Amino acid sequence: MSVTIYHNPRCSKSRETLALIEAQGITPTVIEYLKSPIDLVQLDTLLEQLSYSSAHQLVRNKEAIYKELALSKDTDEAQLKSAMVNNPKLIERPIVVKDNKAAIGRPPESILAIL
């Protein structure tokens, strides 16, 4: 069983989610996506694994960079994905992936459905 968490150690929900995974006896692969940003292919894969039909579902629209880049719910999908790849702070966190399924750890317990 392979579990990966796209993690931001400065985020309390991300830390709680990591602790929850470890409490299940699982040692996940931890990807600090702010240090090792994901590319467009990875973003598309995550969207598919999350069963999201749009990148808008994965964007953190309250981040300052969202406003600075003049992004909105009307932003073109390709432009939004590009902004997310170039500014990984825009990507909702944490994301946990297991067996080609993914879940957002907000609240952390929501990831239990895929573990």
Side-chain angles (χ1 to χ4, degrees):
M1 170 174 62
S2 174
V3 175
T4 301
I5 180 171
Y6 290 85
H7 179 61
N8 177 353
R10 295 188 61 175
C11 170
S12 64
K13 294 297 181 204
S14 198
R15 291 191 308 270
E16 290 171 24
T17 301
L18 178 57
L20 182 60
I21 293 168
E22 291 170 340
Q24 301 296 312
I26 300 167
T27 303
T29 300
V30 177
I31 299 174
E32 290 189 32
Y33 69 96
L34 296 178
K35 291 182 180 178
S36 301
I38 65 173
D39 61 25
L40 185 56
V41 171
Q42 288 172 300
L43 179 60
D44 282 336
T45 299
L46 287 171
L47 289 167
E48 184 177 313
Q49 291 169 326
L50 287 161
S51 298
Y52 285 179
S53 59
S54 169
H56 289 273
Q57 294 172 272
L58 190 59
V59 73
R60 294 177 58 87
N61 59 16
K62 291 188 173 52
E63 288 290 335
I65 191 73
Y66 184 85
K67 191 177 244 186
E68 290 169 21
L69 294 174
L71 300 173
S72 75
K73 61 180 175 67
D74 298 321
T75 300
D76 172 79
E77 191 80 4
Q79 182 184 354
L80 183 61
K81 286 180 182 179
S82 178
M84 293 167 77
V85 167
N86 292 317
N87 303 279
K89 275 186 168 183
L90 288 169
I91 300 171
E92 186 60 85
R93 63 186 180 257
I95 304 170
V96 176
V97 179
K98 179 188 174 259
D99 298 335
N100 211 29
K101 295 259 187 215
I104 302 291
R106 289 186 173 272
E109 297 78 20
S110 67
I111 60 121
L112 293 174
I114 66 165
L115 294 183

